[in-house]
Structures are given as structure tokens and as C-alpha cells.
Amino acid sequence: MAHKVDGYRAVVISLKAGLVDGRYVPSGDLSDAQMDALADLSDRYSFGELRGTYQQNLVFADVQTNELYELWQQLAELHLARANINTLTDMIVCPGWDYCSLANATTHNIAEQIEKQFDDLDYLYDLGDIRLNMSGCMNACAHHHTGDIGILGVDKKGEHWYQISLGGNSSNDAKLGKILGKAVPADDVASTLQTILDVYLDIRGTNEQDVEGFGDVIDRVGIAPFKEKVYG
Ligand code: SF4
């Protein structure tokens, strides 16, 4: 990211490693060894300063541009150099049923399902910036209401289902997403997202300079075309 001072950059470190050697790493998690290594790297490259972000990532706030490549190499060795910031897999995911006594549904199994379905970076870059937030109950710790795509886990007679909302925004133009329709079963979440994203790619406006973002498409056409494809 740009920096106020020439010769410096802010470095955002994704804590959404996704699948490492085929094994899902829970979004937002770090091991003790990674924490120790990051503390050392922040001393070496960022004046000992390391910040946590709203999106469950980390920031080295002041890195010299001539040290960026060296830092990237060391982050890559720690499996902390995934270039998916602001893409669909840069999800905010609450702990859900696995760790939270208030939860109605699991979340990280759904995040793993999404990681497996959307593991192609070229595809993610083509989609552009999309915020996906997932909460395991209506307490909404992941702020699912304000994601471009929000997922809320709900309990239906002891089974975990997932309600999807579209069009939320947590920036200066803040707004709540609209619920797409009835909740979908756990096994269908990623395929439902695929349907939604197919509609977006189909109807977004493009020209040589610009591509219409996901939120802008929802603002323009509403949720009806998405609803029709998902439930029609
Ligand atoms: S949203 Fe619900 S399940 Fe998730 S951390 Fe908050 S209270 Fe727990």
C-alpha cells in the first residue's frame, strides 16, 4: 500500500492462508511460531510495529521499498505471503460453532469449502474487490450484514444452514446487505456463491478503463437477478 513518506510502503499480510499443503488453515489464525517470527520481522523491517486490521489481517506500517522483496521472501517461507487481500477469499470469519458457545452454526468448514471452490487467483483478481463476511450467529461478530456478500449461520432443527445477504458495505458509504432468500444447506454454500458470482460476471459493466464492482452492480440492479438464478 502507498505510504505518506517516499521510499516506504505499508505491507498488508494476509492471515487467510487458505489451503497449505492441502490442509485448510482457519481464516485469521496464526501459530505461535508464526507470531514469534512476525515479531522478529517487524523489528527488522517495520520499526517493531505490527497492527491488526478489521479484516483479520496484519500490517507492517513502515517498510522501506528496497526491503520489500526480502520481506516477501521471508513471509513466503512462513506461508504468510498469499496475495489475496481484498479478494473473495480474504474473508472475515467468526469462530463459529467450533470455538464459540453462542454459535448456531459452524463457519470454518464453510470457509474451507469456499477456499476449495475459489482457489484460482486469476479468477479472484478478475472478480475484483469483494468483501465476504461470515458469522456463526445473529450476534454478527464478523459483521456479515456489511459484507458485499454476508453469510449467517442458522440452526434449523439441529442442522446448520446458511442465510446469504448481498450488497452490504462497511466503508464511508455504509449500508446493510439484503437477505437473498431462504437459507441454504451447508453443502450448498460454495455452489450458491458460484451462481451469484456467475450472475455478477454476466451483468457487470466493463469498458477499457473500468470494471463495475460487485457492490455497484447490486446498487444498479438490486438482488432480484441473483435471487432468480439461485432459487428460480
Ligand atoms: S457471531 Fe456468534 S458464533 Fe460468531 S463469534 Fe460472535 S457470538 Fe460467536
Side-chain angles (χ1 to χ4, degrees):
M1 287 171 59
H3 197 285
K4 283 182 181 172
V5 179
D6 280 348
Y8 281 85
R9 288 284 187 279
V11 173
V12 183
I13 300 168
S14 171
L15 298 188
K16 324 295 165 56
L19 302 170
V20 175
D21 299 328
R23 198 174 62 87
Y24 167 70
V25 178
S27 293
D29 272 20
L30 279 173
S31 69
D32 59 334
Q34 286 175 314
M35 286 188 206
D36 283 343
L38 280 167
D40 291 342
L41 289 176
S42 72
D43 283 338
R44 168 73 184 81
Y45 294 102
S46 187
F47 301 94
E49 185 167 326
L50 180 55
R51 300 177 189 169
T53 74
Y54 169 68
Q55 272 95 10
Q56 292 182 323
N57 293 314
L58 296 175
V59 173
F60 279 14
D62 309 291
V63 180
Q64 291 187 52
T65 49
N66 61 5
E67 294 185 329
L68 286 171
Y69 180 62
E70 193 179 297
L71 172 60
W72 174 80
Q73 287 177 306
Q74 298 192 55
L75 290 171
E77 283 180 20
L78 296 167
H79 299 296
L80 290 171
R82 192 178 185 203
N84 67 335
I85 295 294
N86 291 335
T87 69
L88 184 78
T89 56
D90 186 11
M91 301 173 256
I92 302 177
V93 183
C94 90
W97 184 276
D98 296 312
Y99 307 99
C100 178
S101 58
L102 299 174
N104 286 330
T106 52
T107 50
H108 283 289
N109 61 326
I110 302 301
E112 179 176 5
Q113 187 188 120
I114 292 168
E115 288 282 6
K116 287 179 174 164
Q117 173 94 11
F118 302 101
D119 65 344
D120 179 351
L121 270 183
D122 287 336
Y123 177 76
L124 294 178
Y125 291 160
D126 184 44
L127 287 174
D129 291 1
I130 294 185
R131 295 243 49 83
L132 195 169
N133 300 351
M134 177 165 26
S135 303
C137 78
M138 64 175 67
N139 288 320
C141 297
H143 297 184
H144 61 276
H145 310 86
T146 61
D148 289 306
I149 300 173
I151 299 177
L152 168 65
V154 294
D155 176 76
K156 285 192 181 185
K157 298 181 181 165
E159 288 187 6
H160 299 179
W161 288 61
Y162 296 86
Q163 183 188 78
I164 294 172
S165 54
L166 300 181
N169 190 332
S170 60
S171 71
N172 290 342
D173 191 21
K175 57 181 160 255
L176 302 180
K178 294 198 170 84
I179 295 169
L180 188 62
K182 63 184 191 311
V184 301
D187 288 347
D188 294 352
V189 175
S191 60
T192 304
L193 291 189
Q194 185 69 70
T195 302
I196 290 165
L197 294 169
D198 288 347
V199 173
Y200 162 62
L201 289 174
D202 199 34
I203 64 178
R204 72 180 178 183
T206 56
N207 60 42
E208 281 178 14
Q209 276 82 41
D210 216 359
V211 172
E212 192 178 24
F214 188 86
D216 293 333
V217 167
I218 304 277
D219 286 346
R220 176 167 60 85
V221 303
I223 63 170
F226 299 89
K227 193 177 182 113
E228 187 182 321
K229 281 286 181 189
V230 169
Y231 300 107

